[in-house]
Amino acid sequence: MLKVTRWFIKAGMAYLVLGIFLFLIDSIPVLSINMNLLPVYWHMIALGWITQVIIGVSIWMFPRKKKDRKNLESPVAWGIFWTLNSGLILRFLAEPFPVLYSGTLLIQLITVLSVLLQLTAAVLYLIEIWPRVKPRMQTARG
Amino acid sequence: MPAISIWMIRLSFLFFLITVISGAILLLNKAFQFHPGIWALLPIHIEVAMLGWVLQFVLGTAYWMFPRFLEGPARGNIKAAIWMVVFLNSGILLSAFAMGNEWVLFTGRILLSAGVVIFVLIIRNRVVSYRNLQD
């Protein structure tokens, strides 16, 4: 399994555990207070876990662009990992708080940065994987 | 990779892009509160994310990767597979963009369900192991 794939999957597992834990916290009224945790744990599970595992495994398993193994661990793949996860971490730091601190500049800046990083990750993933969704014969020709 | 899977996976990527863009707008709206009407994107975002992106990617990859038949068409009836793709995607689009119209939503869900049922019918006999066939 590629190193970048292992990082995607392990990070995904961490988000799964955190997401389920927050899901538990949200069910305890005294602990959840006034924060809206639902979008946080939903995105931890759907984006942090499911999507990240899909990305990691598809980068590993889909037909290669070239026969050279080195190209499988492309800088783009690592770029996806770091932009996605840094965007997610910023998102989870900011997302519970707009309800409490509406209009706060710091929350807004963190949110904008998070959005830009996540969008970058999505575009990088499409750039990386789209050419690799192809029939077998195209792979054989390189 | 078979053509059916190529179609499904590429379509799932387009739905992924719609998911991310709609999600970005929603998240920015949460921080800046541009307009309350933007929240109408939320059901679209959820539907497209879960069904258009995740479900379709998984089904398309399973159709590609599961053990193939030893006789006849390698992955089963191709016409059924085409209908699966058509029903799945038309169902997703109708149910995601129903805009509160219950009949459009219902029709979309029916089509989506039909697509999923066809998938199960064409894939169920590929859930096999070909090891120890000579035993």
Side-chain angles (χ1 to χ4, degrees):
Chain A
M1 193 183 282
L2 297 175
K3 185 177 180 182
V4 70
T5 297
R6 296 197 301 271
W7 280 55
F8 273 116
I9 293 173
K10 288 180 180 177
M13 289 179 188
Y15 283 116
L16 174 62
V17 170
L18 277 170
I20 292 296
F21 183 66
L22 275 185
F23 183 54
L24 168 67
I25 295 289
D26 200 34
S27 67
I28 305 170
V30 173
L31 294 178
S32 60
I33 319 171
N34 289 321
M35 290 189 291
N36 185 13
L37 292 178
L38 187 143
V40 180
Y41 58 74
W42 249 112
H43 286 97
M44 277 186 177
I45 291 170
L47 191 51
W49 174 54
I50 295 174
T51 298
Q52 192 152 205
V53 170
I54 285 175
I55 291 173
V57 173
S58 60
I59 285 174
W60 174 35
M61 291 285 232
F62 275 30
R64 304 171 186 181
K65 281 183 271 195
K66 291 181 183 178
K67 292 274 184 175
D68 187 353
R69 190 184 186 279
K70 285 182 186 175
N71 288 339
L72 286 179
E73 292 216 12
S74 66
V76 176
W78 283 109
I80 300 165
F81 179 83
W82 289 113
T83 50
L84 178 62
N85 284 282
S86 52
L88 284 175
I89 289 170
L90 287 175
R91 179 205 188 112
F92 299 141
L93 289 174
E95 193 159 20
F97 300 107
V99 173
L100 299 175
Y101 304 107
S102 177
T104 304
L105 183 62
L106 179 63
I107 299 292
Q108 289 172 339
L109 285 175
I110 293 175
T111 302
V112 170
L113 187 56
S114 166
V115 166
L116 290 174
L117 286 167
Q118 290 175 80
L119 279 173
T120 303
V123 170
L124 287 177
Y125 177 58
L126 291 178
I127 289 171
E128 168 66 29
I129 209 71
W130 189 276
R132 296 174 60 182
V133 180
K134 59 187 178 182
R136 178 186 289 272
M137 286 190 65
Q138 288 184 23
T139 307
R141 292 192 197 117
Chain B
M1 192 183 285
I4 293 289
S5 291
I6 290 172
W7 273 96
M8 291 181 80
I9 292 170
R10 285 187 175 167
L11 283 167
S12 76
F13 289 154
L14 294 178
F15 282 120
F16 174 63
L17 198 58
I18 295 172
T19 300
V20 172
I21 292 171
S22 58
I25 295 170
L26 286 163
L27 186 55
L28 288 171
N29 186 54
K30 192 183 288 190
F32 291 93
Q33 296 172 15
F34 298 128
H35 195 282
I38 288 176
W39 287 109
L41 282 175
L42 185 59
I44 297 171
H45 174 69
I46 294 170
E47 195 98 5
V48 167
M50 290 293 108
L51 303 174
W53 159 232
V54 175
L55 178 68
Q56 182 153 221
F57 184 92
V58 170
L59 297 193
T61 303
Y63 182 85
W64 168 34
M65 288 213 164
F66 275 33
R68 286 170 275 180
F69 293 118
L70 299 178
E71 296 173 351
R75 294 179 173 89
N77 188 317
I78 187 70
K79 286 183 182 174
I82 291 171
W83 281 114
M84 169 186 66
V85 178
V86 170
F87 284 153
L88 195 68
N89 286 278
S90 55
I92 290 165
L93 287 172
L94 283 177
S95 57
F97 296 96
M99 299 299 182
N101 185 316
E102 290 181 0
W103 284 109
V104 173
L105 178 66
F106 181 69
T107 304
R109 294 277 164 84
I110 290 284
L111 289 168
L112 177 68
S113 303
V116 170
V117 167
I118 294 174
F119 170 78
V120 171
L121 289 175
I122 64 179
I123 207 82
R124 73 189 195 286
N125 291 328
R126 291 173 61 193
V127 184
V128 294
S129 173
Y130 291 125
R131 287 188 177 185
N132 304 320
L133 269 182
Q134 293 174 349
D135 291 349

